Amino acid sequence: MKLNLFEDIKGIDDTKQHPKVRLLKNNLQLKSEKEMLIDWTEGLVDRDNKFVREFQETFHSSFWEIFLYKLFIEAGFELDQSHQMPDFIIKSPQEVYVEAVTANIRSGGVPESERSIEDQMSMIIPPYLQEDFYQVLNEGIIRSANAIRSKQKKFLDEYIKRDWIKDNNPFIIAMGSFDQINYGREFIYSMLALLYGMYFNADKEIYTEKLEIEKPQTGSTIPIGIFRDSSYEDVSAVIFTCTLTLGKLTSLCLSNGAYSLNSVYNIRQNCDTNKYLLQIVDSSCPENIADGVFVFHNPNAKNKLSEDFFGKIAVMQFFFENGELMCSGNLTPIVARLNTSKLLNPIVLPQIQECIRKYNRLNFSDFYEVKEVTE
């Protein structure tokens, strides 16, 4: 049975619905995306009978839970949905508890309604050319730190006391970032800094050790590298994405062969060669549901998560041992995604190709010489 996400609910008219709900509900061009999202809820239990209301009013947190549910089903997990908390209890292949949380725009922050075409096109600009790269990075770190801290506290203060929770099983915090209008540019940078103290230098494209950052306009600092000691030993890992947008739905629809008036362009990084690649999404070059999802393991976790736990889906996993970062799984992750009208293809595609050249730091002649050879 599926959830009727777009049903009429007493007390929620169009003015009280989240703008993205209204867009999916009323825009015929997004019919495939709407149907896909509803299909994802097949078998999802509304345990408190308010899931659809929350979906329509606030959207992002419910959207994130629906996505996680579908991701876990694709991974072949057996779920126990008989308890109110935490958000997900995975029974097989290993008993694991997952609490979902979103990092949201701070009070007084720029709302999504003010997102401009310049913001949209900034998705494909290489970090070293983004004037506000460190502002976006630090905001992502700060908002994620608050979200993770709150969920760790909730687990220790409430969840662990429930008789169905065993304290020798892994606990995962699943973090979806919606923390600023350009949250899609965070990639893995905010998490590597917050969890492991690996702060990205965009100019040199290297990571340097950093254990605190300043909070803007306060003069205070917050600690980062929180997985470097036992402070978060109760958290086995963090699942993270910053690319769960309506563009993700469109990309997956295109991947399934559905027609769309939009095109989706992904910039991917080949971690073996450190080269950046352009993916134009369609059924012959699809995006996977697990693309853009990252798992960061806690080296100091009391109950460690098996490296093979997500073995059936194409997530990218990170491990930090003895000061060294290692990764496995999907080694061509999505760095950035641009979802735009097909009518703009003649304008947008050359701009994206130019951005790929800049990502790879090739001069103009080298880039087109390489392109000619590969053709």
Side-chain angles (χ1 to χ4, degrees):
M1 186 173 178
K2 304 170 187 175
L3 298 181
N4 189 355
L5 297 174
F6 300 93
E7 68 178 328
D8 292 332
I9 297 178
K10 186 177 180 179
I12 304 181
D13 58 22
D14 282 356
T15 63
K16 293 184 179 179
Q17 286 181 338
H18 191 280
K20 291 180 181 177
V21 171
R22 292 201 303 271
L23 190 62
L24 284 166
K25 182 179 181 180
N26 301 322
N27 191 333
L28 291 177
Q29 296 176 11
L30 296 176
K31 182 175 181 291
S32 295
E33 287 85 340
K34 175 184 173 182
E35 291 176 350
M36 171 180 281
L37 188 57
I38 293 172
D39 286 345
W40 284 359
T41 69
E42 179 70 54
L44 178 62
V45 176
D46 182 359
R47 292 172 292 177
D48 53 13
N49 296 313
K50 60 182 183 180
F51 189 92
V52 174
R53 174 176 289 273
E54 291 177 349
F55 170 81
Q56 293 192 15
E57 290 180 329
T58 61
F59 184 70
H60 284 137
S61 59
S62 303
F63 185 31
W64 178 222
E65 287 190 38
I66 293 170
F67 175 82
L68 286 170
Y69 173 76
K70 178 62 175 176
L71 186 74
F72 294 160
I73 294 299
E74 290 292 310
F77 296 159
E78 177 190 340
L79 301 176
D80 177 357
Q81 300 186 71
S82 63
H83 301 290
Q84 289 290 330
M85 60 184 73
D87 292 316
F88 298 96
I89 298 175
I90 299 170
K91 299 297 288 186
S92 175
Q94 175 186 7
E95 185 156 327
V96 172
Y97 313 117
V98 182
E99 182 69 3
V101 66
T102 56
N104 301 309
I105 295 173
R106 60 181 168 82
S107 176
V110 180
E112 275 199 276
S113 59
E114 295 185 19
R115 194 164 192 262
S116 65
I117 186 65
E118 288 78 15
D119 289 311
Q120 184 180 6
M121 294 305 296
S122 77
M123 292 297 104
I124 59 173
I125 296 175
Y128 72 95
L129 295 176
Q130 296 171 13
E131 293 182 1
D132 61 344
F133 174 79
Y134 296 105
Q135 177 184 330
V136 170
L137 170 57
N138 288 350
E139 184 71 3
I141 293 170
I142 292 166
R143 301 305 296 162
S144 294
N146 292 337
I148 289 173
R149 189 183 307 114
S150 71
K151 288 303 181 181
Q152 183 208 32
K153 186 175 187 303
K154 197 163 189 175
F155 181 76
L156 294 174
D157 292 349
E158 297 180 41
Y159 296 175
I160 200 67
K161 298 174 183 177
R162 307 297 174 177
D163 57 13
W164 59 86
I165 302 294
K166 302 180 181 67
D167 64 4
N168 61 341
N169 289 328
F171 169 59
I172 300 173
I173 295 176
M175 252 273 317
S177 179
F178 307 94
D179 55 33
Q180 52 200 308
I181 58 174
N182 291 325
Y183 58 84
R185 282 168 34 196
E186 287 180 50
F187 185 38
I188 56 176
Y189 307 128
S190 58
M191 283 297 104
L192 288 182
L194 174 60
L195 302 179
Y196 303 141
M198 297 179 62
Y199 194 86
F200 189 64
N201 182 315
D203 292 324
K204 298 180 180 178
E205 293 193 357
I206 60 172
Y207 292 91
T208 58
E209 182 180 293
K210 197 168 187 175
L211 299 180
E212 64 179 21
I213 61 168
E214 274 192 29
K215 293 185 73 173
Q217 302 172 337
T218 66
S220 62
T221 61
I222 67 164
I224 60 176
I226 61 175
F227 277 0
R228 282 176 171 253
D229 58 36
S230 61
S231 303
Y232 282 79
E233 65 178 5
D234 303 285
V235 181
S236 305
V238 169
I239 300 172
F240 176 78
T241 190
C242 67
T243 55
L244 184 59
T245 61
L246 296 186
K248 176 74 174 181
L249 293 178
T250 299
S251 185
L252 293 178
C253 285
L254 288 169
S255 298
N256 291 337
Y259 178 76
S260 176
L261 293 176
N262 278 17
S263 294
V264 174
Y265 303 95
N266 289 330
I267 295 177
R268 292 178 177 265
Q269 183 179 21
N270 185 320
C271 295
D272 289 328
T273 63
N274 203 32
K275 297 297 183 184
Y276 294 89
L277 313 168
L278 173 62
Q279 176 189 19
I280 303 175
V281 178
D282 61 19
S283 59
S284 65
C285 190
E287 177 174 335
N288 186 279
I289 189 170
D291 276 320
V293 178
F294 305 98
V295 179
F296 300 88
H297 292 254
N298 185 354
N300 291 299
K302 182 171 61 177
N303 302 310
K304 292 195 175 183
L305 184 70
S306 167
E307 181 178 349
D308 299 328
F309 187 70
F310 289 99
K312 291 185 178 179
I313 53 175
V315 298
M316 187 176 189
Q317 302 193 75
F318 290 92
F319 307 85
F320 189 73
E321 302 287 349
N322 302 316
E324 298 261 336
L325 184 70
M326 295 167 285
C327 56
S328 66
N330 182 358
L331 297 183
T332 54
I334 294 174
V335 176
R337 181 194 295 114
L338 181 64
N339 174 34
T340 187
S341 169
K342 284 183 177 177
L343 295 176
L344 298 176
N345 283 356
I347 299 171
V348 170
L349 186 54
Q351 292 185 46
I352 295 179
Q353 290 173 326
E354 176 65 5
C355 285
I356 291 290
R357 180 183 72 80
K358 291 176 179 177
Y359 262 99
N360 288 304
R361 301 196 187 223
L362 295 170
N363 64 43
F364 189 84
S365 59
D366 285 344
F367 177 74
Y368 285 100
E369 182 179 338
V370 169
K371 183 181 177 187
E372 184 178 343
V373 169
T374 57
E375 289 178 346

